[in-house]
Amino acid sequence: MIFGLKVKNSLFILLGAAIFAFGLVHFNMQNNLAEGGFTGITLLLYFLFGFDPAITNLALNIPLFFIGWKLLGRQTFLYTVLGTVAVSMFLSIFQRYMIHMPLRHDMTLAALFAGVFIGVGLGIIFRYGGTTGGVDIIARLVYKYKSISMGKTMFAFDAAVITLSLLYLSYREAMYTLVAVFIAARVIDFMQEGGYAAKGATIISEQSEEIANRILTEMERGVTVLKGRGSYTKRDRDVLYCVVAKNELPRLKNVIMSVDPHAFVAVTDVHDVLGEGFTLDEQKRPLEQ
């Protein structure tokens, strides 16, 4: 730990900042696409007045640093400073050593790659405890206190900024920008929710005990036994609940069907699984991620 920051988290925040800045320079700036949030404001100032985004990014975020310090705590504040400074640093580097890849002839591809690069970059930064300042701080606060996803908050704020960007965008470019922003928002949500995505199975069977034993011994997965009652039959019975990795689902179904081909099985998506077998080993120690 350096200054209270985890080295692993700091490195991933730097990686996310590099991916974000690369997408901004090579797909947004080269193809005259806007962006939302404070990043969109920096692009607005760049296209209208020629201001360097690397500098305006820092200048616009300084007031929000104080909000981050008051409301997010010391560690998140430091990660935010790291992310914001890193984005400005990589913006400066990529503008100086730019790879020319104009895609004006295929704006769909430009919008797609802009959204993916920005979404992946921000998703990594968010997942490891950082932000890049600006609306990222606002989105993080809304998520913290209102449980509204960061992607949705950012999309609403972005739409307002993009409307202002019509000062230099054509309507065609504005529409492609909205496509890029929507893709970025979806990628951010996916990365936030899907780090330990798994499948949850609810199993109702007359042979629930044997099914539970087979899952425990053959798959080495835990099973929770819930008490249920049939609404029609009024009979009490055991209901099994089991969480497995996505690639284990076919094996789980085979185990269930081999015991009771008539078992009722409901499978649902599970996000952010924590605990033994997913983030902890048998000795309750964290697994390497």
Side-chain angles (χ1 to χ4, degrees), residues 2-289:
I2 302 174
F3 302 115
L5 303 181
K6 295 179 180 178
V7 174
K8 177 183 176 182
N9 288 37
S10 299
L11 291 175
F12 272 101
I13 288 173
L14 290 174
L15 173 63
I19 294 172
F20 173 78
F22 183 91
L24 199 66
V25 170
H26 292 88
F27 299 109
N28 291 73
M29 292 172 63
Q30 285 194 31
N31 298 285
N32 208 46
L33 292 175
E35 180 54 42
F38 275 36
T39 304
I41 296 174
T42 64
L43 291 179
L44 181 66
L45 295 174
Y46 168 76
F47 284 116
L48 290 180
F49 306 108
F51 292 170
D52 186 349
I55 296 174
T56 53
N57 178 62
L58 284 177
L60 290 172
N61 280 296
I62 288 175
L64 284 173
F65 282 165
F66 295 100
I67 297 176
W69 174 263
K70 292 287 186 181
L71 298 178
L72 295 180
R74 178 178 179 276
Q75 187 176 69
T76 302
F77 169 76
L78 291 176
Y79 282 135
T80 295
V81 172
L82 175 64
T84 305
V85 171
V87 166
S88 286
M89 178 186 71
F90 284 115
L91 281 173
S92 180
I93 292 172
F94 290 133
Q95 285 183 91
R96 181 171 298 182
Y97 304 102
M98 186 183 299
I99 303 171
H100 292 281
M101 50 175 72
L103 294 170
R104 296 289 183 92
H105 63 287
D106 192 345
M107 291 297 288
T108 300
L109 198 59
L112 175 63
F113 274 89
V116 169
F117 269 80
I118 288 173
V120 170
L122 289 179
I124 292 173
I125 292 171
F126 289 154
R127 189 160 190 87
Y128 286 91
T131 74
T132 58
V135 71
D136 302 348
I137 293 178
I138 297 171
R140 192 175 185 85
L141 291 172
V142 171
Y143 178 76
K144 181 176 182 180
Y145 294 110
K146 298 295 183 180
S147 298
I148 299 174
S149 75
M150 292 182 183
K152 290 178 182 177
T153 302
M154 292 176 67
F155 184 76
F157 196 96
D158 290 347
V161 176
I162 292 168
T163 301
L164 290 175
S165 298
L166 288 172
L167 291 171
Y168 71 90
L169 291 178
S170 67
Y171 286 108
R172 180 173 178 268
E173 291 167 339
M175 288 188 287
Y176 278 116
T177 294
L178 286 174
V179 171
V181 169
F182 178 78
I183 292 172
R186 298 304 302 156
V187 172
I188 290 169
D189 282 345
F190 173 78
M191 296 193 69
Q192 284 290 100
E193 298 171 355
Y196 288 101
K199 295 291 185 179
T202 301
I203 308 159
I204 302 174
S205 169
E206 297 288 347
Q207 303 177 61
S208 58
E209 185 174 353
E210 184 178 350
I211 291 173
N213 289 333
R214 290 277 300 276
I215 294 172
L216 286 168
T217 56
E218 295 181 19
M219 299 186 63
E220 297 183 344
R221 285 295 184 189
V223 180
T224 299
V225 181
L226 307 173
K227 297 299 180 182
R229 187 182 186 193
S231 176
Y232 178 75
T233 63
K234 307 301 181 184
R235 292 173 53 194
D236 294 331
R237 64 174 62 193
D238 290 338
V239 178
L240 306 180
Y241 182 74
C242 179
V243 176
V244 297
K246 285 183 177 180
N247 60 353
E248 293 179 313
L249 184 60
R251 187 180 175 192
L252 176 65
K253 290 180 179 179
N254 288 336
V255 168
I256 296 169
M257 292 300 104
S258 66
V259 176
D260 183 4
H262 304 291
F264 177 85
V265 182
V267 179
T268 57
D269 290 324
V270 178
H271 301 291
D272 256 0
V273 184
L274 307 175
E276 185 176 335
F278 292 93
T279 59
L280 301 175
D281 63 17
E282 295 179 355
Q283 283 72 46
K284 310 298 183 184
R285 294 174 302 192
L287 294 170
E288 289 296 326
Q289 300 175 23

